Each structure stands twice: as structure tokens, then as C-alpha cells.
Amino acid sequence: MWTENDNKLYRKLTFKDFNEAFGFMTRVALAAEKMDHHPTWTNTYNTVEIWLSTHDAGDVVTEKDHKLAEKIDKCL
């Protein structure tokens, strides 16, 4: 579930293992590149944390972030 805090959309995901987490990140990377809108994220073993905001709009949440969040959800 996405939450909005400090002008960012945030989601934490836990996968079975590193391979599943990395596969998910690869799918997200391809979708983000097509949108030319890239997440801030971290990966530690089976955990991926994602923060979305639009840098060009002053680091606030915009419709672009909500659209990317929808695409990220479809990568699960």
C-alpha cells in the first residue's frame, strides 16, 4: 500500500528472496524509463523501498508519481 508523507509516495515491499526482489526492480526500471520518471529506491536482500516525487515540480507528489505508482503495482 502506498502512503504519502513529506511530499513523497512511499511503499515497502518484501519478496521471497533477492532474485524475486531484483526481478521486480528490473520490471519497474523498464516501466520507469519509458515514462522518463525514475524512483528513489533501496534494495536489501528481499526488501525494496520506493519513494516517488517529481523533482522538476519541486520534489512534490504529482500525477506523474501516481501514474508510476500504478505501473509499479502492475509489476508485482
Side-chain angles (χ1 to χ4, degrees), residues 30-48:
L30 294 171
E33 185 65 18
K34 285 181 185 175
M35 289 183 66
D36 193 30
H37 190 50
H38 307 94
T40 299
W41 57 6
T42 62
N43 167 237
T44 305
Y45 182 59
N46 68 334
T47 303
V48 177

Side-chain angles (χ1 to χ4, degrees), residues 46-65:
N46 68 334
T47 303
V48 177
E49 291 184 86
I50 305 168
W51 296 266
L52 301 176
S53 65
T54 303
H55 307 296
D56 295 345
D59 288 321
V60 296
V61 176
T62 66
E63 183 62 27
K64 198 171 187 180
D65 301 300

Side-chain angles (χ1 to χ4, degrees), residues 5 9 41 71:
N5 194 16
L9 289 180
W41 57 6
K71 289 185 182 285

Side-chain angles (χ1 to χ4, degrees), residues 8-39:
K8 291 178 179 32
L9 289 180
Y10 171 78
R11 184 156 186 193
K12 182 176 181 178
L13 299 149
T14 304
F15 297 88
K16 183 179 81 171
D17 55 25
F18 177 76
N19 190 49
E20 280 193 10
F22 192 83
F24 165 76
M25 292 179 74
T26 301
R27 293 187 299 276
V28 170
L30 294 171
E33 185 65 18
K34 285 181 185 175
M35 289 183 66
D36 193 30
H37 190 50
H38 307 94

